[in-house]
Amino acid sequence: MVNRRRNGSRANGNAGRGGVKKTQQQQQRKRAPDKALREPAIFAKKSGSASDTPQDKVTLAQARRGTPAHRPVRVYADGIFDLFHSGHARALMQAKNVFPNTHLIVGVCSDALTHQCKGYTVMTEDERYEALIHCRYVDEVVRDAPWTITPEFIKKHRIDFVAHDDIPYTSAGSEDVYKHIKEAGMFVATQRTEGISTSDLITRIVRDYDVYVRRNLQRGYTARELNVGFINEKKYRLQEKVDIMKKTVRTVEEKSKHLVHRVEEKSHDLILKWEEKSREFIGNFLELFGADKAWHMIQQRSGRVLQALSPYQSPHTSPSTSPTRGRSTSPVSHWPILRFHSPPPKAASVSSSEGGVDDDDEEI
């Protein structure tokens, strides 16, 4: 049991030491990308690599398995990198990740060499250098890189492998400038990003030249700065005014369409509300004046009208002048009755019985 414990403790100690070494290597590997994200890449010295110690040759199999932290695989990728775009960044990302432990060196050709071998560039060499050192995948930038990679250049910068797309690059009278690198077994291929390149971007600018000139004139650039003649400047100014007018007319048209649409919606809502109210009114009307109630209401109304038009009845307490009349022929007047006495008759009427005097004569 003691031996086992001792052996176990030794084993654990060895494992602990190995664990410490692995942890240090992992920390060193983690520090490199963190530093690359915080700071720009460095420029290579003209004398080449700063280390004077001899560098062992690394085979492709060894590089793919992974090298020690103090000995990264030095991969070189070169180019012009004019109008730095996503295609360039993707190629450098592949070159950086081609091996587990990679130190990526990027060579950028100068303006003089590029104009001589390929053509005029949009960006200056200093602008292209600055674009490369701020790419997160780049560890070191070589300024004024050669057009063709020579053995002296490889030895100077201690390059293990060269990364580029596998399409033969014909230039300077050569069918493929990377042919000798491929024959030496130092070439690693990256995939080209389709649909974007510096030539495509320049083609877009040339195709839409008028649009860009008008935009820059509007932003305050002078015609001299844009290398535009007097007549072309006036033409671009006029086109800009016409476009502004067209845009204004289009805006007014869209607003009018929106207004008409809103009016149509409002009218539709009003029609719906009117239909609802009309149905409600008709329903209420039918409830009040339906088939059963209409005739009853008409009879009631006609009775009230006839009663209003008929003469008033005499009150039961009023005296009648004739015993045979029970209803007065005229409506009862509320005004006081004035009685006028007629003059006395010329001859008194003599009653046939007993020569008496009439009642009327007696009143008179």
Side-chain angles (χ1 to χ4, degrees):
M1 293 294 292
V2 175
N3 293 333
R4 288 181 181 177
R5 288 179 181 175
R6 287 178 181 175
N7 294 335
S9 62
R10 289 176 182 175
N12 292 333
N14 293 333
R17 292 174 184 175
V20 171
K21 289 182 180 179
K22 289 181 180 179
T23 304
Q24 290 177 353
Q25 291 177 0
Q26 290 175 357
Q27 289 178 355
Q28 289 176 356
R29 290 180 181 178
K30 287 181 180 178
R31 286 173 186 172
D34 291 343
K35 184 178 180 181
L37 293 176
R38 290 196 306 268
E39 300 176 2
I42 62 173
F43 287 116
K45 296 180 180 180
K46 293 183 178 181
S47 58
S49 178
S51 178
D52 296 332
T53 58
Q55 184 175 357
D56 298 332
K57 179 66 178 177
V58 178
T59 63
L60 187 61
Q62 290 175 346
R64 287 177 177 173
R65 283 197 304 267
T67 57
H70 66 279
R71 173 60 174 93
V73 181
R74 295 174 68 85
V75 177
Y76 178 78
D78 59 352
I80 300 169
F81 302 102
D82 191 21
L83 297 176
F84 190 80
H85 52 75
S86 61
H88 295 144
R90 289 176 66 88
L92 297 176
M93 179 185 68
Q94 296 176 56
K96 177 68 175 177
N97 293 282
V98 69
F99 301 119
N101 185 18
T102 303
H103 181 84
L104 181 59
I105 308 167
V106 179
V108 184
C109 300
S110 64
D111 287 345
L113 184 61
T114 305
H115 298 167
Q116 179 185 354
C117 298
K118 188 173 182 179
Y120 191 75
T121 58
V122 178
M123 300 171 66
T124 65
E125 59 182 40
D126 292 331
E127 292 171 342
R128 292 185 283 118
Y129 298 155
E130 288 290 328
L132 264 299
I133 65 172
H134 289 93
C135 179
R136 61 184 299 182
Y137 310 114
V138 178
D139 298 307
E140 188 176 348
V141 173
V142 177
R143 294 171 287 189
D144 193 11
W147 195 260
T148 303
I149 303 172
T150 61
E152 293 77 16
F153 183 81
I154 293 174
K155 184 178 179 180
K156 180 180 178 180
H157 293 280
R158 299 190 176 191
I159 298 170
D160 295 315
F161 297 95
V162 178
H164 199 271
D165 60 79
D166 203 10
I167 302 172
Y169 194 85
T170 58
S171 178
S174 176
E175 295 180 357
D176 190 1
V177 295
Y178 299 102
K179 183 179 180 180
H180 63 289
I181 302 295
K182 294 177 182 178
E183 292 175 351
M186 298 176 61
F187 185 83
V188 288
T190 57
Q191 297 295 324
R192 188 178 180 86
T193 303
E194 299 295 335
I196 186 169
S197 66
T198 303
S199 300
D200 293 338
L201 295 177
I202 295 174
T203 302
R204 296 180 197 176
I205 296 173
V206 173
R207 182 188 60 194
D208 301 328
Y209 171 77
D210 292 348
V211 177
Y212 294 125
V213 170
R214 285 161 52 190
R215 184 180 67 180
N216 290 328
L217 285 173
Q218 188 180 4
R219 289 180 175 179
Y221 287 91
T222 63
R224 186 176 181 180
E225 291 174 339
L226 298 172
N227 196 22
V228 176
F230 177 79
I231 297 176
N232 288 332
E233 180 189 1
K234 298 303 178 184
K235 182 185 72 173
Y236 293 139
R237 300 281 188 189
L238 180 60
Q239 288 178 352
E240 187 67 28
K241 291 182 180 179
V242 171
D243 289 345
I244 293 173
M245 188 179 299
K246 287 181 180 179
K247 186 177 179 180
T248 305
V249 172
R250 195 179 301 110
T251 304
V252 172
E253 185 179 357
E254 290 178 357
K255 287 183 178 180
S256 62
K257 287 182 180 179
H258 180 67
L259 179 61
V260 170
H261 183 66
R262 289 186 61 185
V263 169
E264 289 179 353
E265 288 182 351
K266 291 291 184 181
S267 61
H268 183 67
D269 294 339
L270 289 174
I271 290 172
L272 291 177
K273 289 181 180 179
W274 182 83
E275 289 179 353
E276 291 178 0
K277 292 295 181 181
S278 62
R279 290 194 189 97
E280 184 180 356
F281 176 77
I282 293 171
N284 294 335
F285 182 83
L286 291 176
E287 287 181 2
L288 293 175
F289 304 100
D292 298 333
K293 298 180 181 181
W295 179 247
H296 179 69
M297 294 292 294
I298 291 171
Q299 284 183 341
Q300 254 185 347
R301 297 276 178 101
S302 62
R304 290 177 185 174
V305 172
L306 292 174
Q307 186 176 1
L309 294 176
S310 62
Y312 293 97
Q313 294 181 358
S314 300
H316 297 288
T317 56
S318 61
S320 58
T321 55
S322 174
T324 59
R325 288 188 297 178
R327 180 178 293 180
S328 174
T329 57
S330 61
V332 180
S333 176
H334 297 282
W335 296 96
I337 301 174
L338 299 178
R339 294 184 177 180
F340 298 96
H341 296 279
S342 59
K346 295 179 179 181
S349 59
V350 179
S351 145
S352 57
S353 59
E354 299 176 354
V357 181
D358 293 336
D359 295 334
D360 297 332
D361 296 335
E362 291 178 356
E363 286 183 3
I364 296 172

